[in-house]
Amino acid sequence: NAGVTQTPKFQVLKTGQSMTLQCAQDMNHEYMSWYRQDPGMGLRLIHYSVGAGITDQGEVPNGYNVSRSTTEDFPLRLLSAAPSQTSVYFCASSTFSLGGYGYTFGSGTRLTVV
Amino acid sequence: QQQVKQSPQSLIVQKGGIPIINCAYENTAFDYFPWYQQFPGKGPALLIAIRPDVSEKKEGRFTISFNKSAKQFSLHIMDSQPGDSATYFCAASVGEETSGSRLTFGEGTQLTVNP
């Protein structure tokens, strides 16, 4: 059981470039999310999905796009990278269990935009 | 708008001490309060969680205390060990089975346990 797999682990982009951060889970979880982590700000929700074909915006969605064509995959697209998007990105998946959602996080993608 | 406020930002204790991390929330609709532990270079991992119908929950050396009227909850780590040195995040969500869940995180507390 791999859990939540994120690729790449590290990436450097030039301003204006686009790229896709990959996320895959093998736990058959219906819920998947993308968070960004910045120092002193905790984790902030970018986009989330409650099932294949269904996505919605989180707290900081601008500059990012998502789609969910399968239960397993939830890629995050940066449309035109900006230095403000330098951050560590985490993908997470969850299912409803024991009265709440215990999210399982991937190991993160550290993105630097120069 | 930070809906979950966490303090302190950093905390240093000696081995065997009892670090306490506090969180306060604003949204009274929150009904699920997990704590996550994160080691450097890793993703957060679920540590323990509580729902507001109980005032305390223990799992091993970790205890959550919950005060619904004050809209506050805290994490206590008993007999802390150097291996507990990590960043701890509190979070909150409205957890309905049919509508999914959006976690709102606190800012994080960097805990150092000295030998």
Side-chain angles (χ1 to χ4, degrees):
Chain A
N1 237 358
V4 178
T5 302
Q6 289 185 239
T7 56
K9 292 191 181 301
F10 301 94
Q11 184 70 48
V12 179
L13 285 181
K14 293 183 178 179
T15 298
Q17 286 185 317
S18 62
M19 79 160 293
T20 299
L21 279 62
Q22 301 292 343
C23 176
Q25 54 97 2
D26 61 358
M27 298 172 285
N28 201 33
H29 285 173
E30 61 270 40
Y31 304 114
M32 296 187 75
S33 308
W34 277 101
Y35 291 83
R36 59 176 290 173
Q37 182 175 21
D38 301 292
M41 302 188 74
L43 290 90
R44 292 180 292 167
L45 181 64
I46 304 171
H47 285 285
Y48 67 102
S49 169
V50 299
I54 306 170
T55 64
D56 205 347
Q57 296 181 351
E59 183 184 353
V60 288
N62 292 340
Y64 307 96
N65 203 358
V66 292
S67 60
R68 186 135 178 238
S69 57
T70 66
T71 299
E72 294 79 19
D73 299 300
F74 191 43
L76 178 72
R77 296 181 189 83
L78 277 70
L79 308 173
S80 177
S84 62
Q85 293 179 305
T86 294
S87 186
V88 181
Y89 291 84
F90 288 100
C91 178
S93 73
S94 174
T95 190
F96 190 83
S97 172
L98 302 175
Y101 294 90
Y103 275 86
T104 299
F105 283 81
S107 57
T109 295
R110 184 173 294 274
L111 175 68
T112 303
V113 182
V114 298
Chain B
Q1 180 184 1
Q2 188 70 33
Q3 293 194 54
V4 179
K5 290 195 175 296
Q6 183 172 346
S7 62
Q9 190 173 17
S10 63
L11 187 56
I12 301 174
V13 300
Q14 293 298 121
K15 178 182 174 181
I18 305 176
I20 301 172
I21 304 170
N22 300 299
C23 285
Y25 63 95
E26 300 169 5
N27 186 352
T28 55
F30 287 147
D31 63 358
Y32 180 67
F33 301 89
W35 284 89
Y36 286 83
Q37 179 188 55
Q38 184 181 31
F39 293 105
K42 303 292 186 183
L46 180 64
L47 192 60
I48 185 173
I50 197 169
R51 289 184 67 85
D53 50 350
V54 298
S55 61
E56 185 176 280
K57 182 174 181 179
K58 285 185 181 181
E59 285 187 7
R61 295 185 294 107
F62 299 93
T63 299
I64 300 179
S65 298
F66 188 85
N67 186 330
K68 187 174 181 178
S69 61
K71 293 187 288 184
Q72 294 176 348
F73 59 110
S74 60
L75 177 71
H76 302 231
I77 305 175
M78 305 301 176
D79 188 26
S80 59
Q81 301 296 315
D84 296 329
S85 297
T87 301
Y88 293 82
F89 293 95
C90 64
S93 70
V94 180
E96 294 189 4
E97 186 170 4
T98 57
S99 61
S101 173
R102 299 168 53 159
L103 282 172
T104 299
F105 282 86
E107 300 93 331
T109 296
Q110 187 159 355
L111 172 66
T112 302
V113 181
N114 288 327

